[in-house]
Amino acid sequence: MFNKDFLKELTILCVEDDELIREQLFLSINDFFKEVIIAKDGKEALEKVLESEIKIDVIVSDISMPFMNGIEFLQNVRKIDKYIPFIFSTAFSDKEYLISAIKHGVSDFFVKPLDVMVLLEKIEKVCKKNKKEIEIINHQEMVQEYFNTINKVAIVYIYDLEGKILYINDFFKELSKYEDSDLIGENYTKIYHLDISKELIDKQEETLKSSEKFKGNLKYSTKDDSVFYVNCTTIPIKEKDEIKSFISVNFLTTKEENERREFKKKVLYNFQETKKIFKKAQEKVDELTFELSRYQNYDKKEKILKDLQIENAGYFEDIHLVEDKIKKIKARQDMFTFEINVKIKEISQSSHDLVEHSDKLDKKISKMSHEIILRDEFIKKLESEVEERSQKIINLEDVLLHRESQTSGKK
């Protein structure tokens, strides 16, 4: 299980050319980190590394990508930062890239398809390992600097369990006039003055073999039989809890050398203080160097910017022309719309008049229809009366004819 608090302090750069996988990766891990930066290929990712104002703590990248593949991206990153953790996402078909990736310092791999939990555990693992390695490197550098400083102000020699000298420092050689060939392989007591008692030597050996450090004032003799006194501290050197050798650090105790030693102690103190200041300054230099790296190829970018400005100016002029055309079209459209509205108003008025006229005609037609109906009824009534009268006339004619016939018979 991964440490959420540890991951939440990290900024991660994820490089994936597949848009769907890239979005899925971002959504899957975004809540676990301080910041997640996304890039679609190695070229864009390298630009983000150079231009980002935020320190990127770990990179997760695909191998097969357009424009700049994962191996090329890794090579460029290593030119900028030798230690940043770098994890490749890969398919089984990418095996030919793995050896090259290992040569260029890849930290780990994970096999697609994406398993978020496995990825988070790998990220935590490589980042913690990287943090520890950097701490070790810094510690080693500090120890080495401290040792180099001690080497300039103290007599230092190392001997094994049999008492044979393995190492003498430059200051010892300068003071004693001995060379490596004179002492390496010889018993360390060779440098002791004859005045040192065997009891003191035995006490020193017993103290050291009991894993305790020995401290005392000793008298040494040089190759030309000169004498000097030292304040000696000898410490057992262990490997896996077993004593393998002893290191002796000695400071001169004569008045002149004491003054010299005190001066060198001050130098050492000042050096340590300077080192602290230098470390802070170095951090600032690294920060400025990183910032400066973002402005690499500035002239080239400036030329590109100027070309873009010229190109944009042309686009701007085209935009103005298009805007003028749009204004003219809009004016024509407004005029056309106005004329259409006038026509529509006239048509609407005409339609209204027609409707009114139609209503009047309908009323007239209705009235005339009513009058026609009345006239029809009157005509029918007249016809009926005419018919009745005609019938009466016929009946009268019949009566007259009958009477006439009767009258003729009587004659």
Side-chain angles (χ1 to χ4, degrees):
M1 188 63 182
F2 53 88
N3 186 330
K4 292 183 179 179
D5 292 336
F6 178 78
L7 295 182
K8 203 63 180 176
E9 296 177 356
L10 304 178
T11 295
I12 179 173
L13 170 62
C14 296
V15 193
E16 173 60 57
D17 66 319
D18 187 291
E19 184 177 0
L20 184 61
I21 297 176
R22 188 167 64 246
E23 292 178 357
Q24 179 188 2
L25 178 61
F26 178 80
L27 293 174
S28 300
I29 67 174
N30 186 47
D31 292 337
F32 293 99
F33 295 91
K34 179 181 178 181
E35 184 172 352
V36 178
I37 302 172
I38 295 293
K40 64 179 179 293
D41 54 57
K43 183 179 178 182
E44 183 184 11
L46 184 60
E47 290 174 356
K48 288 182 180 290
V49 170
L50 293 173
E51 296 174 2
S52 177
E53 295 180 358
I54 303 170
K55 181 181 180 297
I56 297 172
D57 299 297
V58 59
I59 297 173
V60 176
S61 173
D62 192 11
I63 289 183
S64 301
M65 297 183 293
F67 303 113
M68 181 186 293
N69 64 38
I71 300 297
E72 294 170 332
F73 175 47
L74 173 59
Q75 288 176 302
N76 282 287
V77 167
R78 286 292 174 247
K79 293 176 183 177
I80 301 167
D81 191 327
K82 295 181 181 179
Y83 303 108
I84 185 171
F86 197 109
I87 300 174
F88 269 136
S89 61
T90 178
F92 291 110
S93 59
D94 293 326
K95 288 182 179 178
E96 63 271 19
Y97 293 109
L98 300 186
I99 295 176
S100 179
I102 292 170
K103 286 181 180 178
H104 291 97
V106 71
S107 305
D108 208 337
F109 300 88
F110 73 89
V111 179
K112 295 180 179 179
L114 173 67
D115 185 325
V116 176
M117 295 300 107
V118 172
L119 174 60
L120 293 175
E121 288 174 359
K122 285 184 179 291
I123 290 172
E124 180 184 10
K125 177 183 175 183
V126 298
C127 287
K128 283 186 174 179
K129 181 182 177 183
N130 179 68
K131 183 179 179 182
K132 188 173 181 180
E133 287 176 350
I134 291 176
E135 287 176 353
I136 291 172
I137 291 170
N138 290 337
H139 178 71
Q140 288 175 340
E141 290 177 351
M142 185 172 63
V143 169
Q144 185 61 45
E145 289 178 5
Y146 182 76
F147 183 77
N148 291 338
T149 305
I150 290 293
N151 200 31
K152 295 175 182 178
V153 298
I155 298 165
V156 180
Y157 60 92
I158 301 173
Y159 58 94
D160 61 18
L161 295 176
E162 295 179 357
K164 293 181 179 179
I165 296 176
L166 305 174
Y167 165 83
I168 55 175
N169 73 337
D170 293 336
F171 185 61
F172 186 12
K173 286 186 279 188
E174 177 188 347
L175 188 65
S176 67
K177 306 298 189 295
Y178 283 115
E179 297 297 332
D180 288 336
S181 57
D182 297 321
L183 293 179
I184 300 300
E186 298 291 333
N187 193 280
Y188 72 95
T189 57
K190 180 177 179 179
I191 60 175
Y192 284 7
H193 194 274
L194 295 176
D195 290 346
I196 296 178
S197 64
K198 187 175 182 303
E199 289 78 7
L200 180 59
I201 296 174
D202 292 340
K203 179 182 177 182
Q204 178 184 7
E205 291 180 352
E206 289 175 7
T207 302
L208 293 172
K209 287 179 181 179
S210 64
S211 298
E212 296 179 6
K213 65 181 177 182
F214 169 80
K215 295 185 71 173
N217 295 319
L218 297 178
K219 184 179 180 180
Y220 291 159
S221 60
T222 66
K223 188 174 181 179
D224 59 4
D225 294 328
S226 298
V227 175
F228 60 92
Y229 297 88
V230 298
N231 187 335
C232 171
T233 300
T234 304
I235 305 170
I237 301 175
K238 293 183 178 182
E239 292 181 14
K240 297 180 180 180
D241 294 330
E242 290 187 13
I243 298 174
K244 295 297 183 181
S245 58
F246 304 96
I247 181 169
S248 181
V249 180
N250 305 262
F251 293 97
L252 295 171
T253 57
T254 62
K255 180 180 178 181
E256 293 79 7
E257 291 302 332
N258 274 338
E259 291 175 354
R260 179 182 174 186
R261 180 162 57 87
E262 288 300 321
F263 173 75
K264 289 187 176 181
K265 279 184 179 180
K266 290 179 181 178
V267 170
L268 176 60
Y269 173 78
N270 291 334
F271 173 80
Q272 290 172 336
E273 291 300 310
T274 303
K275 183 177 176 297
K276 292 178 183 177
I277 297 171
F278 175 77
K279 185 178 179 181
K280 291 181 180 179
Q282 187 62 45
E283 290 175 355
K284 190 65 179 177
V285 168
D286 292 341
E287 181 182 340
L288 292 173
T289 301
F290 176 75
E291 185 71 20
L292 184 62
S293 66
R294 295 173 53 207
Y295 296 95
Q296 288 181 347
N297 300 321
Y298 176 77
D299 293 338
K300 184 178 178 181
K301 291 181 179 179
E302 188 178 24
K303 184 179 182 302
I304 294 172
L305 181 61
K306 287 181 179 178
D307 292 341
L308 287 173
Q309 287 174 339
I310 294 170
E311 187 176 355
N312 288 340
Y315 290 147
F316 191 70
E317 187 175 348
D318 292 341
I319 289 169
H320 273 300
L321 293 174
V322 171
E323 285 179 345
D324 289 339
K325 288 181 180 179
I326 290 171
K327 286 178 181 178
K328 291 178 181 178
I329 292 170
K330 188 175 184 302
R332 289 171 60 188
Q333 184 180 2
D334 290 342
M335 180 61 70
F336 180 74
T337 302
F338 176 76
E339 291 175 354
I340 290 291
N341 288 334
V342 170
K343 292 290 184 184
I344 290 172
K345 194 172 181 180
E346 290 175 354
I347 292 170
S348 178
Q349 185 63 42
S350 298
S351 298
H352 180 71
D353 293 341
L354 285 172
V355 169
E356 286 185 352
H357 185 65
S358 176
D359 290 341
K360 290 178 181 179
L361 287 174
D362 287 342
K363 289 179 181 179
K364 285 182 179 181
I365 290 170
S366 178
K367 184 177 179 180
M368 291 177 67
S369 296
H370 181 66
E371 289 177 352
I372 289 169
I373 291 170
L374 293 175
R375 287 178 182 180
D376 285 343
E377 290 177 354
F378 181 72
I379 290 169
K380 285 180 180 180
K381 185 177 179 181
L382 288 175
E383 286 177 346
S384 177
E385 290 177 356
V386 169
E387 187 176 354
E388 286 179 3
R389 289 180 181 182
S390 295
Q391 187 65 42
K392 286 179 179 181
I393 291 171
I394 292 171
N395 291 336
L396 184 58
E397 286 178 350
D398 287 340
V399 171
L400 291 175
L401 286 174
H402 179 66
R403 284 182 179 180
E404 186 178 344
S405 66
Q406 284 180 351
T407 303
S408 298
K410 286 180 179 183
K411 291 178 174 183

